[in-house]
Amino acid sequence: MVTTSRVPLHARFDLPHGGRWVSLSGGGREWLWSRPDPARATVTPGSAFVDAGGLEECVPTVRGTPDHGEAWARPWSGAPAEAAVTCDAFELRRTVTREAGAVVAGYRLAADPGYAFVWAAHALLDLSAHARIVAPTDTPVRLYPEAAPLLDGPWPPATPRLLPARDPGPGRRAGARGQDGRAPFVEGRWPVPLGLPLDRLGPDDGTAAGAVLRCPAVRVEDGRDALDLRVEAPDGVPLSTALWRNLGGFPEGAPYRSVGVEPMLGAVFDLAEAGPGDAAVVPSSGELTWRLVLAAERMV
């Protein structure tokens, strides 16, 4: 019989550089993957994303414009336990506490009522080739075009959809922005959506795939260790978990391995592709709050 014990977690942050989480550790294990890139220290709002690993706060979008959102490229003010960043259309405040060994980050986004956004805790994890992702069987999964060569069938063409929660502009409807006239995403079911096994990582094979699981919590198991990631929000807010499984397939020309497991508000990577119910929306109070809960266990 397998038994587990809770492993207390500790987090560290780099407030001047986007409020980035630079460590999530416990029991002698560091969960966050990182890579040195001196360009990360000199980014400004509007810069192309610099992938230094850790956990970045991506809001109001992940893909699209601005690249990985606005908050990651701005200095945050405050202290590690309570910090904030002010962007063009919103203010985001983060308060970090510990509950029974888990790290809990509470968020409050203040903006005009009706403001639509996507947020993701863009966590890149340091995982072995034997790690696996555990999510409820039959969870709906949205797959993105880089996964097209790995699927059972051809990628479908784009079809017009209803306008997204935030209108991207005249004549630009969600679904019309796929690469080369293709749909921006296709849908399957976990753990093998459209023939692609996503639950196990495996060794580097030169592929990369992005996906959004329509569930608010997943578990990552790697050897004796497990990490639970969960997002909580008021009723009606769309909750998902993004997965970036890059096994040496990205970027072109200088690929490396990186695995993102990213609790999120919303159901799409790019806010401009959001249809009804695909984005979080600020209520009439002018504030939306939510929580990120990170907890670790070890088999004993």
Side-chain angles (χ1 to χ4, degrees):
M1 181 176 179
V2 176
T3 59
T4 61
S5 63
R6 176 64 61 90
V7 176
L9 289 175
H10 305 268
R12 291 189 296 107
F13 308 91
D14 184 353
L15 297 187
H17 300 106
R20 176 171 163 255
W21 302 52
V22 295
S23 176
L24 181 68
S25 62
R29 173 165 188 153
E30 174 59 61
W31 281 99
L32 294 182
W33 170 89
S34 62
R35 61 188 289 269
D37 193 327
R40 182 64 181 84
T42 60
V43 299
T44 58
S47 294
F49 184 62
V50 178
D51 186 7
L55 187 158
E56 304 275 14
E57 306 282 359
C58 293
V59 60
T61 191
V62 183
R63 299 184 182 182
T65 303
D67 190 8
H68 284 67
E70 296 184 43
W72 76 273
R74 298 172 184 263
W76 289 43
S77 61
E82 187 167 357
V85 62
T86 299
C87 298
D88 291 341
F90 64 90
E91 180 190 69
L92 179 65
R93 183 167 296 275
R94 179 182 68 202
T95 301
V96 181
T97 60
R98 296 179 67 221
E99 298 180 8
V103 171
V104 180
Y107 294 88
R108 185 188 71 192
L109 187 140
D112 291 340
Y115 179 74
F117 67 95
V118 171
W119 164 86
H122 188 275
L124 294 173
L125 302 182
D126 188 3
L127 302 174
S128 77
H130 303 290
R132 69 187 192 112
I133 314 296
V134 181
T137 300
D138 288 333
T139 292
V141 179
R142 290 178 169 177
L143 293 166
Y144 282 77
E146 63 271 7
L150 309 174
L151 305 185
D152 283 342
W155 197 269
T159 57
R161 301 170 62 212
L162 295 175
L163 283 174
R166 186 182 73 170
D167 187 346
R172 298 179 68 186
R173 291 178 178 266
R177 297 188 62 200
Q179 298 177 2
D180 302 323
R182 297 182 295 175
F185 55 79
V186 293
E187 297 185 301
R189 296 281 175 169
W190 185 266
V192 190
L194 305 178
L196 173 59
L198 278 179
D199 57 329
R200 296 188 180 274
L201 298 183
D204 290 0
D205 59 8
T207 67
V212 174
L213 286 67
R214 299 303 308 274
C215 63
V218 301
R219 165 172 279 218
V220 177
E221 296 181 348
D222 192 8
R224 297 170 53 224
D225 293 317
L227 179 68
D228 291 305
L229 306 95
R230 181 175 80 253
V231 60
E232 304 169 346
D235 290 344
V237 177
L239 304 179
S240 305
T241 305
L243 175 62
W244 171 240
R245 197 187 71 171
N246 173 26
L247 305 181
F250 177 88
E252 185 176 353
Y256 52 84
R257 181 187 181 95
S258 61
V259 177
V261 181
E262 308 168 21
M264 66 186 300
L265 304 188
V268 290
F269 281 123
D270 189 343
L271 179 61
E273 296 171 352
D278 286 345
V281 179
V282 175
S284 59
S285 65
E287 294 184 350
L288 184 65
T289 61
W290 67 94
R291 298 201 325 161
L292 170 67
V293 182
L294 304 169
E297 291 182 339
R298 176 167 292 160
M299 290 188 295
V300 294

